[in-house]
Amino acid sequence: MVQTLTVLGLESSCDDTAAAVVRQPDGEQARILSSIVHGQTELHSAFGGVVPEIAARAHAEKLDICVVQALDDAGLNLSDMDAIAVTAGPGLIGGVLSGVMCAKGLSAATGLPLIGVNHLAGHALTPRLTDGIAFPYLMLLVSGGHCQYLIVHGPEKFTRLGGTIDDAPGEAFDKTARLLGLPQPGGPSVEAEARLGDPKRFRFPRPLLDRPGCDLSFSGLKTALMRMRDQIVAEKGGLTRQDRADLCAGFQQAIVDTLAEKTRRAIDLYLSEEPSDPVIAVAGGVAANSAIRAALETVCEENGARFTAPPLGLCTDNAAMIAYAGIERFRTGARAGLDLTARPRWPLDQTSPAMLGSGKKGAKA
Ligand code: KG4
Ligand code: ZN
């Protein structure tokens, strides 16, 4: 049966409160009719990280405003929706609960079906929303809170090939910036400094490259950086602009080399499944880094795979990806009841061993 679906999506798992409306005629590419994101950066900036209680309260205050704005921007009413999709995990539990309770209220009041969406599935399915990429494709999720390689086989079928066992790369960039007195978010400021630096002056470790597989580790980089910084300060009494630039360049090169090598290994595993049109998609704020992007593009080219990255606004947290994942799940028949639970941890691939790390943005899945 051909069915056009229009879904309202809600997202509140970390520090962005978001609502969006996405429509997909069956067999055609989906369209984002509206997408509202209220960030909370300024609420948390004094604390050096996301404060879960503050985040949850801000979500509870902003969710209904976002929903009204998203419906207004789309020029639609709740009665035009076919379902309500909400992030039900993983994430900071207070925030996830705020979204789930809001969605349950809307569902109970309107009778619309409710769909619980895994936040990571939202990220992982975004290349289908933006470019209509066919299954199976390889996904590298790389942000301040996430870092993992996934083969995406279907809306509910993911194979995790590996991921970080401690910090996410964005988190490592942010900590590096803090250690060098550069502004937050750290990624763009470290990248800008790195352009002026010599990546060979300081030799940073390439964590876990000596071990097989696709797992990553980034927390050792900040310890190495701290040691190098302290040594320069002890010898010269402070850091020059060039010292700072060289430290940033060395640090960034270590991340570039590590991600390039682990991506090569992930591609090998992916290609062994013989996809007819191999595609590697990358998503997350760190995908904005041009050195990382260039390295990933080269690795894809060398391996005969297409490289794709959604526009930045859809790489970072948003509700359009949740509404779209809701559409994909709706078509598979997924429906949640009012007993839908909020989950702090929710691995996409239930068969892989649990990840160990827990970063600034909460538990990693
Ligand atoms: O996906 P995102 O907006 O939020 C989540 O983590 O969920 O990613 C933000 C992260 C921050 O840690 C930021 O420093 C990093 O992405 N980032 C970058 C760059 N732009 C943003 N990291 C490296 N290079 C960049 N140009
Ligand atoms: Zn995210």
Side-chain angles (χ1 to χ4, degrees):
M1 187 183 65
V2 177
Q3 191 185 6
T4 295
L5 290 177
T6 310
V7 168
L8 171 69
L10 302 182
E11 157 63 33
S12 58
S13 63
C14 185
D15 58 351
D16 291 300
T17 317
V21 177
V22 174
R23 173 172 285 167
Q24 185 184 39
D26 196 31
E28 287 180 31
Q29 192 147 333
R31 270 192 306 132
I32 299 171
L33 302 186
S34 64
S35 179
I36 305 294
V37 181
H38 277 282
Q40 303 179 351
T41 311
E42 69 288 356
L43 292 180
H44 303 287
S45 61
F47 304 98
V50 178
V51 183
E53 184 56 27
I54 294 176
R57 282 167 193 265
H59 287 307
E61 277 169 19
K62 283 276 165 33
L63 270 162
D64 52 349
I65 298 170
C66 286
V67 168
V68 170
Q69 277 184 324
L71 290 170
D72 264 10
D73 279 11
L76 297 173
N77 296 308
L78 277 173
S79 57
D80 299 310
M81 301 299 118
D82 293 297
I84 295 168
V86 62
T87 299
L92 299 173
I93 193 63
V96 180
L97 263 172
S98 302
V100 167
M101 294 311 289
C102 178
K104 281 184 185 177
L106 290 169
S107 170
T110 57
L112 286 169
L114 180 65
I115 302 172
V117 170
N118 183 310
H119 175 86
L120 299 168
H123 280 301
L125 294 169
T126 300
R128 289 174 57 73
L129 165 64
T130 55
D131 297 291
I133 301 293
F135 299 122
Y137 54 92
L138 177 66
M139 177 88 205
L140 167 59
L141 253 181
V142 64
S143 70
H146 323 292
C147 184
Q148 53 186 300
Y149 291 101
L150 295 163
I151 300 179
V152 186
H153 296 279
E156 292 167 12
K157 191 159 186 280
F158 307 88
T159 307
R160 187 166 62 71
L161 304 176
T164 184
I165 60 166
D166 42 53
D167 290 355
E171 202 172 355
F173 271 97
D174 294 341
K175 286 176 178 168
T176 290
R178 221 166 283 134
L179 288 169
L180 296 177
L182 298 168
Q184 296 291 322
S189 41
V190 170
E191 183 180 9
E193 287 296 313
R195 276 205 197 96
L196 312 170
D198 171 9
K200 297 210 177 76
R201 177 169 159 210
F202 297 102
R203 177 73 194 167
F204 282 80
R206 268 59 174 163
L208 298 193
L209 279 198
D210 53 341
R211 279 196 234 160
C214 300
D215 279 342
L216 302 121
S217 161
F218 295 104
S219 70
L221 292 179
K222 68 168 186 292
T223 316
L225 182 114
M226 210 175 349
R227 222 177 292 124
M228 293 168 189
R229 179 200 65 178
D230 292 349
Q231 196 180 337
I232 303 170
V233 171
E235 283 166 10
K236 300 200 295 196
L239 294 180
T240 63
R241 175 83 199 266
Q242 195 58 50
D243 292 333
R244 209 173 271 131
D246 292 344
L247 283 168
C248 286
F251 161 84
Q252 182 174 277
Q253 194 58 47
I255 297 215
V256 165
D257 291 349
T258 308
L259 283 174
E261 173 54 24
K262 296 287 172 165
T263 302
R264 248 174 235 123
R265 297 182 193 180
I267 290 178
D268 273 353
L269 292 168
Y270 165 61
L271 291 181
S272 69
E273 301 204 355
E274 300 180 1
S276 54
D277 176 20
V279 176
I280 313 327
V282 63
V286 179
N289 184 289
S290 36
I292 293 174
R293 231 180 145 97
L296 296 176
E297 278 182 271
T298 306
V299 172
C300 289
E301 224 168 82
E302 284 166 3
N303 288 277
R306 210 147 46 87
F307 176 84
T308 178
L312 201 58
L314 291 170
C315 278
T316 54
D317 287 352
N318 66 87
M321 68 181 191
I322 303 304
Y324 178 72
I327 288 178
E328 292 238 25
R329 296 205 68 211
F330 190 96
R331 292 198 191 281
T332 68
R335 304 287 184 275
L338 289 180
D339 58 351
L340 174 67
T341 48
R343 301 171 63 172
R345 278 183 181 260
W346 185 0
L348 273 180
D349 177 354
Q350 309 278 344
T351 58
S352 294
M355 311 262 296
L356 305 174
S358 182
K360 73 167 180 180
K361 298 207 168 174
K364 298 200 170 64

PDB file of all heavy atoms in Angstrom, residues 219-248:
ATOM      1  N   SER A 219      41.449   9.099  25.344  1.00  0.00           N
ATOM      2  CA  SER A 219      41.700   9.829  26.596  1.00  0.00           C
ATOM      3  C   SER A 219      43.193  10.019  26.861  1.00  0.00           C
ATOM      4  O   SER A 219      43.593  10.973  27.524  1.00  0.00           O
ATOM      5  CB  SER A 219      41.020   9.134  27.769  1.00  0.00           C
ATOM      6  OG  SER A 219      41.668   7.920  28.040  1.00  0.00           O
ATOM      7  N   GLY A 220      44.042   9.108  26.318  1.00  0.00           N
ATOM      8  CA  GLY A 220      45.484   9.228  26.542  1.00  0.00           C
ATOM      9  C   GLY A 220      46.092  10.455  25.861  1.00  0.00           C
ATOM     10  O   GLY A 220      47.147  10.953  26.276  1.00  0.00           O
ATOM     11  N   LEU A 221      45.420  10.961  24.815  1.00  0.00           N
ATOM     12  CA  LEU A 221      45.971  12.106  24.073  1.00  0.00           C
ATOM     13  C   LEU A 221      46.043  13.352  24.947  1.00  0.00           C
ATOM     14  O   LEU A 221      47.003  14.116  24.886  1.00  0.00           O
ATOM     15  CB  LEU A 221      45.127  12.388  22.828  1.00  0.00           C
ATOM     16  CG  LEU A 221      45.184  11.315  21.738  1.00  0.00           C
ATOM     17  CD1 LEU A 221      44.288  11.699  20.568  1.00  0.00           C
ATOM     18  CD2 LEU A 221      46.608  11.116  21.251  1.00  0.00           C
ATOM     19  N   LYS A 222      45.021  13.537  25.778  1.00  0.00           N
ATOM     20  CA  LYS A 222      45.032  14.759  26.606  1.00  0.00           C
ATOM     21  C   LYS A 222      46.102  14.669  27.694  1.00  0.00           C
ATOM     22  O   LYS A 222      46.729  15.660  28.057  1.00  0.00           O
ATOM     23  CB  LYS A 222      43.650  15.055  27.196  1.00  0.00           C
ATOM     24  CG  LYS A 222      43.199  14.067  28.217  1.00  0.00           C
ATOM     25  CD  LYS A 222      41.972  14.552  28.981  1.00  0.00           C
ATOM     26  CE  LYS A 222      41.642  13.582  30.087  1.00  0.00           C
ATOM     27  NZ  LYS A 222      41.162  12.263  29.629  1.00  0.00           N
ATOM     28  N   THR A 223      46.336  13.444  28.191  1.00  0.00           N
ATOM     29  CA  THR A 223      47.393  13.260  29.199  1.00  0.00           C
ATOM     30  C   THR A 223      48.751  13.562  28.557  1.00  0.00           C
ATOM     31  O   THR A 223      49.583  14.255  29.151  1.00  0.00           O
ATOM     32  CB  THR A 223      47.384  11.802  29.710  1.00  0.00           C
ATOM     33  OG1 THR A 223      46.022  11.437  29.929  1.00  0.00           O
ATOM     34  CG2 THR A 223      48.182  11.650  30.978  1.00  0.00           C
ATOM     35  N   ALA A 224      48.949  13.062  27.323  1.00  0.00           N
ATOM     36  CA  ALA A 224      50.210  13.322  26.613  1.00  0.00           C
ATOM     37  C   ALA A 224      50.373  14.828  26.390  1.00  0.00           C
ATOM     38  O   ALA A 224      51.454  15.391  26.616  1.00  0.00           O
ATOM     39  CB  ALA A 224      50.209  12.584  25.278  1.00  0.00           C
ATOM     40  N   LEU A 225      49.275  15.471  25.979  1.00  0.00           N
ATOM     41  CA  LEU A 225      49.335  16.910  25.716  1.00  0.00           C
ATOM     42  C   LEU A 225      49.673  17.695  26.984  1.00  0.00           C
ATOM     43  O   LEU A 225      50.499  18.611  26.976  1.00  0.00           O
ATOM     44  CB  LEU A 225      47.993  17.384  25.158  1.00  0.00           C
ATOM     45  CG  LEU A 225      47.975  18.866  24.803  1.00  0.00           C
ATOM     46  CD1 LEU A 225      47.807  19.054  23.306  1.00  0.00           C
ATOM     47  CD2 LEU A 225      46.909  19.623  25.530  1.00  0.00           C
ATOM     48  N   MET A 226      49.056  17.280  28.097  1.00  0.00           N
ATOM     49  CA  MET A 226      49.296  17.975  29.356  1.00  0.00           C
ATOM     50  C   MET A 226      50.775  17.877  29.740  1.00  0.00           C
ATOM     51  O   MET A 226      51.392  18.844  30.174  1.00  0.00           O
ATOM     52  CB  MET A 226      48.431  17.345  30.445  1.00  0.00           C
ATOM     53  CG  MET A 226      48.043  18.328  31.506  1.00  0.00           C
ATOM     54  SD  MET A 226      46.906  17.711  32.739  1.00  0.00           S
ATOM     55  CE  MET A 226      46.310  16.194  32.207  1.00  0.00           C
ATOM     56  N   ARG A 227      51.347  16.671  29.543  1.00  0.00           N
ATOM     57  CA  ARG A 227      52.750  16.465  29.890  1.00  0.00           C
ATOM     58  C   ARG A 227      53.663  17.345  29.027  1.00  0.00           C
ATOM     59  O   ARG A 227      54.565  18.006  29.522  1.00  0.00           O
ATOM     60  CB  ARG A 227      53.109  14.982  29.723  1.00  0.00           C
ATOM     61  CG  ARG A 227      53.980  14.506  30.872  1.00  0.00           C
ATOM     62  CD  ARG A 227      54.304  13.019  30.807  1.00  0.00           C
ATOM     63  NE  ARG A 227      53.145  12.162  31.026  1.00  0.00           N
ATOM     64  CZ  ARG A 227      52.726  11.225  30.168  1.00  0.00           C
ATOM     65  NH1 ARG A 227      53.347  11.027  29.031  1.00  0.00           N
ATOM     66  NH2 ARG A 227      51.686  10.473  30.449  1.00  0.00           N
ATOM     67  N   MET A 228      53.370  17.380  27.721  1.00  0.00           N
ATOM     68  CA  MET A 228      54.189  18.203  26.812  1.00  0.00           C
ATOM     69  C   MET A 228      54.060  19.676  27.168  1.00  0.00           C
ATOM     70  O   MET A 228      55.044  20.415  27.198  1.00  0.00           O
ATOM     71  CB  MET A 228      53.742  17.979  25.362  1.00  0.00           C
ATOM     72  CG  MET A 228      54.041  16.577  24.854  1.00  0.00           C
ATOM     73  SD  MET A 228      53.169  16.288  23.300  1.00  0.00           S
ATOM     74  CE  MET A 228      53.439  14.549  23.067  1.00  0.00           C
ATOM     75  N   ARG A 229      52.841  20.102  27.427  1.00  0.00           N
ATOM     76  CA  ARG A 229      52.611  21.511  27.781  1.00  0.00           C
ATOM     77  C   ARG A 229      53.383  21.878  29.050  1.00  0.00           C
ATOM     78  O   ARG A 229      54.090  22.879  29.106  1.00  0.00           O
ATOM     79  CB  ARG A 229      51.107  21.737  28.023  1.00  0.00           C
ATOM     80  CG  ARG A 229      50.761  23.157  28.416  1.00  0.00           C
ATOM     81  CD  ARG A 229      49.419  23.239  29.107  1.00  0.00           C
ATOM     82  NE  ARG A 229      49.421  22.525  30.389  1.00  0.00           N
ATOM     83  CZ  ARG A 229      48.388  22.472  31.221  1.00  0.00           C
ATOM     84  NH1 ARG A 229      47.265  23.071  30.898  1.00  0.00           N
ATOM     85  NH2 ARG A 229      48.460  21.821  32.370  1.00  0.00           N
ATOM     86  N   ASP A 230      53.268  21.003  30.071  1.00  0.00           N
ATOM     87  CA  ASP A 230      53.916  21.305  31.350  1.00  0.00           C
ATOM     88  C   ASP A 230      55.429  21.353  31.204  1.00  0.00           C
ATOM     89  O   ASP A 230      56.106  22.144  31.862  1.00  0.00           O
ATOM     90  CB  ASP A 230      53.497  20.282  32.412  1.00  0.00           C
ATOM     91  CG  ASP A 230      52.031  20.441  32.773  1.00  0.00           C
ATOM     92  OD1 ASP A 230      51.432  21.464  32.365  1.00  0.00           O
ATOM     93  OD2 ASP A 230      51.469  19.539  33.432  1.00  0.00           O
ATOM     94  N   GLN A 231      55.953  20.493  30.320  1.00  0.00           N
ATOM     95  CA  GLN A 231      57.406  20.476  30.108  1.00  0.00           C
ATOM     96  C   GLN A 231      57.883  21.791  29.471  1.00  0.00           C
ATOM     97  O   GLN A 231      58.883  22.369  29.899  1.00  0.00           O
ATOM     98  CB  GLN A 231      57.781  19.290  29.223  1.00  0.00           C
ATOM     99  CG  GLN A 231      59.277  18.992  29.303  1.00  0.00           C
ATOM    100  CD  GLN A 231      59.642  17.810  28.411  1.00  0.00           C
ATOM    101  OE1 GLN A 231      58.804  16.984  28.085  1.00  0.00           O
ATOM    102  NE2 GLN A 231      60.901  17.747  28.028  1.00  0.00           N
ATOM    103  N   ILE A 232      57.127  22.263  28.483  1.00  0.00           N
ATOM    104  CA  ILE A 232      57.511  23.534  27.840  1.00  0.00           C
ATOM    105  C   ILE A 232      57.442  24.673  28.866  1.00  0.00           C
ATOM    106  O   ILE A 232      58.339  25.518  28.949  1.00  0.00           O
ATOM    107  CB  ILE A 232      56.575  23.879  26.654  1.00  0.00           C
ATOM    108  CG1 ILE A 232      56.576  22.759  25.619  1.00  0.00           C
ATOM    109  CG2 ILE A 232      56.994  25.190  25.990  1.00  0.00           C
ATOM    110  CD1 ILE A 232      55.514  22.919  24.546  1.00  0.00           C
ATOM    111  N   VAL A 233      56.366  24.659  29.655  1.00  0.00           N
ATOM    112  CA  VAL A 233      56.195  25.728  30.657  1.00  0.00           C
ATOM    113  C   VAL A 233      57.345  25.682  31.666  1.00  0.00           C
ATOM    114  O   VAL A 233      57.912  26.722  32.034  1.00  0.00           O
ATOM    115  CB  VAL A 233      54.817  25.609  31.363  1.00  0.00           C
ATOM    116  CG1 VAL A 233      54.725  26.564  32.543  1.00  0.00           C
ATOM    117  CG2 VAL A 233      53.692  25.877  30.373  1.00  0.00           C
ATOM    118  N   ALA A 234      57.731  24.455  32.086  1.00  0.00           N
ATOM    119  CA  ALA A 234      58.833  24.322  33.061  1.00  0.00           C
ATOM    120  C   ALA A 234      60.152  24.831  32.451  1.00  0.00           C
ATOM    121  O   ALA A 234      60.954  25.459  33.139  1.00  0.00           O
ATOM    122  CB  ALA A 234      58.972  22.860  33.480  1.00  0.00           C
ATOM    123  N   GLU A 235      60.339  24.562  31.149  1.00  0.00           N
ATOM    124  CA  GLU A 235      61.613  24.961  30.518  1.00  0.00           C
ATOM    125  C   GLU A 235      61.657  26.442  30.166  1.00  0.00           C
ATOM    126  O   GLU A 235      62.678  27.096  30.312  1.00  0.00           O
ATOM    127  CB  GLU A 235      61.830  24.147  29.215  1.00  0.00           C
ATOM    128  CG  GLU A 235      62.287  22.732  29.484  1.00  0.00           C
ATOM    129  CD  GLU A 235      62.166  21.847  28.239  1.00  0.00           C
ATOM    130  OE1 GLU A 235      61.918  22.379  27.132  1.00  0.00           O
ATOM    131  OE2 GLU A 235      62.316  20.620  28.394  1.00  0.00           O
ATOM    132  N   LYS A 236      60.505  26.965  29.650  1.00  0.00           N
ATOM    133  CA  LYS A 236      60.560  28.318  29.086  1.00  0.00           C
ATOM    134  C   LYS A 236      59.697  29.332  29.843  1.00  0.00           C
ATOM    135  O   LYS A 236      59.637  30.497  29.478  1.00  0.00           O
ATOM    136  CB  LYS A 236      60.094  28.281  27.618  1.00  0.00           C
ATOM    137  CG  LYS A 236      60.968  27.383  26.747  1.00  0.00           C
ATOM    138  CD  LYS A 236      60.835  27.698  25.268  1.00  0.00           C
ATOM    139  CE  LYS A 236      59.457  27.405  24.737  1.00  0.00           C
ATOM    140  NZ  LYS A 236      59.370  27.337  23.282  1.00  0.00           N
ATOM    141  N   GLY A 237      58.949  28.833  30.842  1.00  0.00           N
ATOM    142  CA  GLY A 237      58.114  29.734  31.634  1.00  0.00           C
ATOM    143  C   GLY A 237      56.759  30.023  31.012  1.00  0.00           C
ATOM    144  O   GLY A 237      55.944  30.719  31.602  1.00  0.00           O
ATOM    145  N   GLY A 238      56.483  29.505  29.827  1.00  0.00           N
ATOM    146  CA  GLY A 238      55.168  29.715  29.203  1.00  0.00           C
ATOM    147  C   GLY A 238      55.150  29.181  27.786  1.00  0.00           C
ATOM    148  O   GLY A 238      56.174  28.705  27.279  1.00  0.00           O
ATOM    149  N   LEU A 239      53.968  29.269  27.151  1.00  0.00           N
ATOM    150  CA  LEU A 239      53.822  28.768  25.781  1.00  0.00           C
ATOM    151  C   LEU A 239      53.826  29.928  24.801  1.00  0.00           C
ATOM    152  O   LEU A 239      53.146  30.935  25.037  1.00  0.00           O
ATOM    153  CB  LEU A 239      52.474  28.054  25.622  1.00  0.00           C
ATOM    154  CG  LEU A 239      52.210  26.761  26.382  1.00  0.00           C
ATOM    155  CD1 LEU A 239      50.808  26.263  26.039  1.00  0.00           C
ATOM    156  CD2 LEU A 239      53.224  25.691  26.037  1.00  0.00           C
ATOM    157  N   THR A 240      54.572  29.802  23.711  1.00  0.00           N
ATOM    158  CA  THR A 240      54.455  30.798  22.643  1.00  0.00           C
ATOM    159  C   THR A 240      53.288  30.397  21.747  1.00  0.00           C
ATOM    160  O   THR A 240      52.773  29.271  21.839  1.00  0.00           O
ATOM    161  CB  THR A 240      55.730  30.840  21.767  1.00  0.00           C
ATOM    162  OG1 THR A 240      55.859  29.562  21.134  1.00  0.00           O
ATOM    163  CG2 THR A 240      56.971  31.126  22.599  1.00  0.00           C
ATOM    164  N   ARG A 241      52.895  31.290  20.865  1.00  0.00           N
ATOM    165  CA  ARG A 241      51.830  30.992  19.906  1.00  0.00           C
ATOM    166  C   ARG A 241      52.225  29.765  19.068  1.00  0.00           C
ATOM    167  O   ARG A 241      51.396  28.895  18.797  1.00  0.00           O
ATOM    168  CB  ARG A 241      51.623  32.228  19.013  1.00  0.00           C
ATOM    169  CG  ARG A 241      50.628  32.042  17.870  1.00  0.00           C
ATOM    170  CD  ARG A 241      49.213  32.236  18.365  1.00  0.00           C
ATOM    171  NE  ARG A 241      48.214  31.668  17.495  1.00  0.00           N
ATOM    172  CZ  ARG A 241      47.575  32.332  16.545  1.00  0.00           C
ATOM    173  NH1 ARG A 241      47.829  33.600  16.317  1.00  0.00           N
ATOM    174  NH2 ARG A 241      46.645  31.731  15.824  1.00  0.00           N
ATOM    175  N   GLN A 242      53.530  29.690  18.688  1.00  0.00           N
ATOM    176  CA  GLN A 242      53.984  28.587  17.856  1.00  0.00           C
ATOM    177  C   GLN A 242      53.922  27.259  18.623  1.00  0.00           C
ATOM    178  O   GLN A 242      53.542  26.228  18.068  1.00  0.00           O
ATOM    179  CB  GLN A 242      55.417  28.847  17.350  1.00  0.00           C
ATOM    180  CG  GLN A 242      55.822  27.938  16.196  1.00  0.00           C
ATOM    181  CD  GLN A 242      54.866  28.062  14.993  1.00  0.00           C
ATOM    182  OE1 GLN A 242      54.586  29.166  14.544  1.00  0.00           O
ATOM    183  NE2 GLN A 242      54.351  26.940  14.500  1.00  0.00           N
ATOM    184  N   ASP A 243      54.287  27.293  19.927  1.00  0.00           N
ATOM    185  CA  ASP A 243      54.192  26.070  20.746  1.00  0.00           C
ATOM    186  C   ASP A 243      52.756  25.541  20.715  1.00  0.00           C
ATOM    187  O   ASP A 243      52.505  24.345  20.517  1.00  0.00           O
ATOM    188  CB  ASP A 243      54.562  26.364  22.214  1.00  0.00           C
ATOM    189  CG  ASP A 243      56.036  26.717  22.385  1.00  0.00           C
ATOM    190  OD1 ASP A 243      56.853  26.265  21.568  1.00  0.00           O
ATOM    191  OD2 ASP A 243      56.354  27.447  23.350  1.00  0.00           O
ATOM    192  N   ARG A 244      51.837  26.468  20.916  1.00  0.00           N
ATOM    193  CA  ARG A 244      50.418  26.088  20.976  1.00  0.00           C
ATOM    194  C   ARG A 244      49.969  25.500  19.630  1.00  0.00           C
ATOM    195  O   ARG A 244      49.301  24.465  19.584  1.00  0.00           O
ATOM    196  CB  ARG A 244      49.598  27.340  21.311  1.00  0.00           C
ATOM    197  CG  ARG A 244      48.343  27.022  22.048  1.00  0.00           C
ATOM    198  CD  ARG A 244      47.637  28.272  22.524  1.00  0.00           C
ATOM    199  NE  ARG A 244      48.096  28.681  23.830  1.00  0.00           N
ATOM    200  CZ  ARG A 244      48.472  29.917  24.150  1.00  0.00           C
ATOM    201  NH1 ARG A 244      48.445  30.876  23.245  1.00  0.00           N
ATOM    202  NH2 ARG A 244      48.863  30.193  25.367  1.00  0.00           N
ATOM    203  N   ALA A 245      50.366  26.149  18.564  1.00  0.00           N
ATOM    204  CA  ALA A 245      49.982  25.687  17.227  1.00  0.00           C
ATOM    205  C   ALA A 245      50.587  24.302  16.942  1.00  0.00           C
ATOM    206  O   ALA A 245      49.907  23.413  16.401  1.00  0.00           O
ATOM    207  CB  ALA A 245      50.437  26.687  16.172  1.00  0.00           C
ATOM    208  N   ASP A 246      51.846  24.101  17.340  1.00  0.00           N
ATOM    209  CA  ASP A 246      52.504  22.809  17.104  1.00  0.00           C
ATOM    210  C   ASP A 246      51.845  21.701  17.931  1.00  0.00           C
ATOM    211  O   ASP A 246      51.684  20.573  17.455  1.00  0.00           O
ATOM    212  CB  ASP A 246      54.002  22.902  17.433  1.00  0.00           C
ATOM    213  CG  ASP A 246      54.746  23.813  16.453  1.00  0.00           C
ATOM    214  OD1 ASP A 246      54.197  24.111  15.372  1.00  0.00           O
ATOM    215  OD2 ASP A 246      55.876  24.239  16.779  1.00  0.00           O
ATOM    216  N   LEU A 247      51.467  22.036  19.178  1.00  0.00           N
ATOM    217  CA  LEU A 247      50.774  21.040  20.014  1.00  0.00           C
ATOM    218  C   LEU A 247      49.438  20.663  19.367  1.00  0.00           C
ATOM    219  O   LEU A 247      49.082  19.474  19.289  1.00  0.00           O
ATOM    220  CB  LEU A 247      50.539  21.600  21.423  1.00  0.00           C
ATOM    221  CG  LEU A 247      51.768  21.615  22.350  1.00  0.00           C
ATOM    222  CD1 LEU A 247      51.499  22.457  23.601  1.00  0.00           C
ATOM    223  CD2 LEU A 247      52.170  20.191  22.753  1.00  0.00           C
ATOM    224  N   CYS A 248      48.690  21.658  18.898  1.00  0.00           N
ATOM    225  CA  CYS A 248      47.392  21.390  18.254  1.00  0.00           C
ATOM    226  C   CYS A 248      47.586  20.544  16.996  1.00  0.00           C
ATOM    227  O   CYS A 248      46.826  19.600  16.747  1.00  0.00           O
ATOM    228  CB  CYS A 248      46.693  22.698  17.877  1.00  0.00           C
ATOM    229  SG  CYS A 248      46.019  23.563  19.288  1.00  0.00           S
TER     230      CYS A 248
END
